Amino acid sequence: MAMRTSPESPMPVGRVSRLIGEWIDRLGAVWVEGQITQLSRRPGAGVVFLTLRDPAQDISLTVTCFRAVFDKVADVVTEGARVVVLGKPEWYAPRGQLSLRAAEIRAVGVGELLARLERLKRELAAEGLFAPERKRRLPFLPGRIGLVTGRASAAERDVLENARLRWPAVRFAVRNVAVQGVHAVPQVIDAVRELDADPSVEVIVIARGGGSVEDLLPFSDEALVRAVAACATPVVSAIGHEPDSPLLDLVADLRASTPTDAAKRVVPEVGEEVARVEQLRERARWCARALVEREERGLRATVDRPVLAEPHRLVEEHEERLVMAVDRGRRVLGHLLDRADAELSHTAARVVALSPAATLRRGYAVLRRPDGSVLRSAAEAGAGEELRARLADGEVGVVVTEPSGGGA
């Protein structure tokens, strides 16, 4: 296809279209899955025209097939059906259009769809998208609720009416989208992302009424599941009725069984909350009264204690004990002094009785020489020796006239 061209030597449109067709003709056949959005079977025409759309993206291809090929599945294939097509890319040069020439068309049955969903469910679960620890708690009273649902649908009415009956001041940011068909997935994803980016929206509700497995397939789409998993805002899934369980229920932070149940789970009931507030107030009053009464009892018990009823009693008791201790100390000290005095008197009497002075008073005398030495034996005295005799009341001088036992 590489051609040398310039503004001076451009290539004709026909040749460009022909070259593109030659390149496309070299492509082989491919199996393609999609959803039929348009089906044209003109009476007597030998070719059937279909538009095959990607359920998760805003992309479609034109498919053509001979009537004989389509008649084999005409009973089960209608607009909105999912099919698998074996087609070869084909280029229509006069109009510059690309299409697929279908050689075989197979309808995707419910069993096969469920098997695919089960495989996708296991893959996403293995990634942790359904883990309980990822679930976030819903706000108690959201200031603004994002609602993604079909236009003028019963699901929208159920959510809005029940929420406003429970809490009249509740505010909604409603995004009406297709809830089935080929446009559902991209529109729901865009609405969820828009609401998630709005800081005033505190919770997002995705609501739809019940339907067949095929009708609810958009809410099991992998792209939508991943978009919800990436949301920073808590998401509530209210798809179908109790038995319905698309993959959106598993990734959402809360699954509501119905749109009405979603309104009840997201918005508190004003009457119940008023009653609960009154109960809490009464409980608080009871607790306050009980606390005050308990403290009053404790205060009365403290005031009635003797130490507070008669504050001087404690000092008086200590004073009495102190006086008793002083008296006891005085008695003990007096007794000790008396005993010591008696012992001292007895000792003094003994000392006096044994002292030289007492002996002298009994008539004895102590003889001493002039140098003060005491005579202890008559043999020590010499004749004519002058001695001093110590008596009880004084001293007298004596002369030894007869030593060795003689008189003086």
Side-chain angles (χ1 to χ4, degrees):
M1 290 293 293
M3 305 294 292
R4 292 184 179 180
T5 61
S6 68
E8 290 74 23
S9 58
M11 183 181 296
V13 173
R15 187 178 179 191
V16 172
S17 181
R18 192 165 52 253
L19 290 173
I20 293 175
E22 292 174 359
W23 182 80
I24 290 177
D25 285 341
R26 292 198 295 268
L27 298 177
V30 61
W31 285 99
V32 181
E33 180 182 359
Q35 190 171 16
I36 297 176
T37 58
Q38 292 182 359
L39 175 60
S40 177
R41 288 191 297 171
R42 296 178 182 177
V47 178
V48 178
F49 294 90
L50 306 89
T51 299
L52 198 63
R53 189 182 186 89
D54 189 322
Q57 302 183 46
D58 191 12
I59 299 175
S60 59
L61 282 175
T62 299
V63 178
T64 62
C65 65
F66 293 111
R67 180 173 290 274
V69 174
F70 185 80
D71 287 344
K72 296 179 181 179
V73 292
D75 295 337
V76 294
V77 172
T78 58
E79 288 188 3
R82 287 209 178 191
V83 294
V84 176
V85 175
L86 175 61
K88 185 180 185 305
E90 191 175 72
W91 180 258
Y92 185 58
R95 293 185 182 177
Q97 292 181 345
L98 176 67
S99 63
L100 287 178
R101 173 68 70 170
E104 184 179 352
I105 300 176
R106 296 182 184 179
V108 179
V110 175
E112 186 175 352
L113 288 175
L114 294 177
R116 292 183 184 180
L117 291 181
E118 187 62 30
R119 288 196 298 270
L120 178 59
K121 176 181 176 181
R122 290 196 296 268
E123 293 172 2
L124 297 178
E127 295 181 25
L129 266 63
F130 306 150
E133 55 270 18
R134 294 187 72 258
K135 309 296 183 183
R136 291 157 295 188
R137 294 185 61 182
L138 271 59
F140 167 69
L141 181 59
R144 196 176 185 204
I145 302 172
L147 176 60
V148 181
T149 186
R151 185 181 303 277
S153 62
E156 179 181 6
R157 185 177 61 254
D158 289 345
V159 174
L160 296 179
E161 290 182 357
N162 283 280
R164 284 166 180 159
L165 284 174
R166 293 174 65 81
W167 198 275
V170 66
R171 296 185 302 141
F172 278 91
V174 181
R175 298 294 182 271
N176 294 123
V177 297
V179 291
Q180 69 182 63
V182 294
H183 301 288
V185 173
Q187 289 186 15
V188 173
I189 290 176
D190 291 343
V192 168
R193 288 174 176 169
E194 180 184 349
L195 293 172
D196 186 44
D198 187 346
S200 66
V201 175
E202 299 181 31
V203 62
I204 299 172
V205 178
I206 303 176
R208 186 203 189 283
S212 64
V213 174
E214 294 86 345
D215 292 337
L216 299 182
L217 280 178
F219 298 97
S220 292
D221 187 87
E222 181 178 0
L224 176 57
V225 171
R226 293 189 182 278
V228 171
C231 282
T233 308
V235 176
V236 177
S237 174
I239 305 301
H241 301 292
E242 185 64 34
D244 302 325
S245 183
L247 297 185
L248 179 63
D249 287 349
L250 302 177
V251 75
D253 297 288
L254 176 68
R255 177 194 182 263
S257 57
T258 62
T260 299
D261 181 51
K264 295 179 179 179
R265 304 284 290 276
V266 172
V267 180
E269 204 279 321
V270 63
E272 294 177 358
E273 297 307 319
V274 169
R276 185 176 291 110
V277 169
E278 186 57 35
Q279 290 176 0
L280 293 175
R281 285 178 176 174
E282 183 60 31
R283 186 182 302 173
R285 284 192 290 266
W286 182 87
C287 291
R289 284 196 300 268
L291 177 62
V292 172
E293 291 174 358
R294 184 172 67 249
E295 294 301 324
E296 286 180 346
R297 289 194 299 270
L299 182 59
R300 285 195 298 270
T302 302
V303 171
D304 292 341
R305 291 179 180 177
V307 68
L308 292 180
E310 300 178 22
H312 298 291
R313 178 72 178 273
L314 183 62
V315 177
E316 293 173 353
E317 290 179 355
H318 282 289
E319 182 183 13
E320 292 176 0
R321 286 196 292 269
L322 181 61
V323 170
M324 293 175 60
V326 171
D327 292 342
R328 185 167 59 252
R330 286 175 177 173
R331 289 196 301 271
V332 171
L333 180 61
H335 177 70
L336 291 176
L337 291 175
D338 292 343
R339 187 173 62 184
D341 182 67
E343 291 179 353
L344 181 61
S345 298
H346 179 69
T347 302
R350 292 177 60 190
V351 169
V352 169
L354 297 176
S355 68
T359 302
L360 293 176
R361 281 193 295 272
R362 290 195 301 268
Y364 292 92
V366 178
L367 296 177
R368 293 185 300 171
R369 293 188 178 89
D371 59 3
S373 59
V374 177
L375 272 72
R376 292 177 172 80
S377 171
E380 295 180 357
E385 185 177 5
E386 293 181 359
L387 300 174
R388 299 290 295 178
R390 174 69 183 271
L391 301 174
D393 56 355
E395 293 183 353
V396 295
V398 296
V399 177
V400 177
T401 57
E402 187 177 348
S404 301

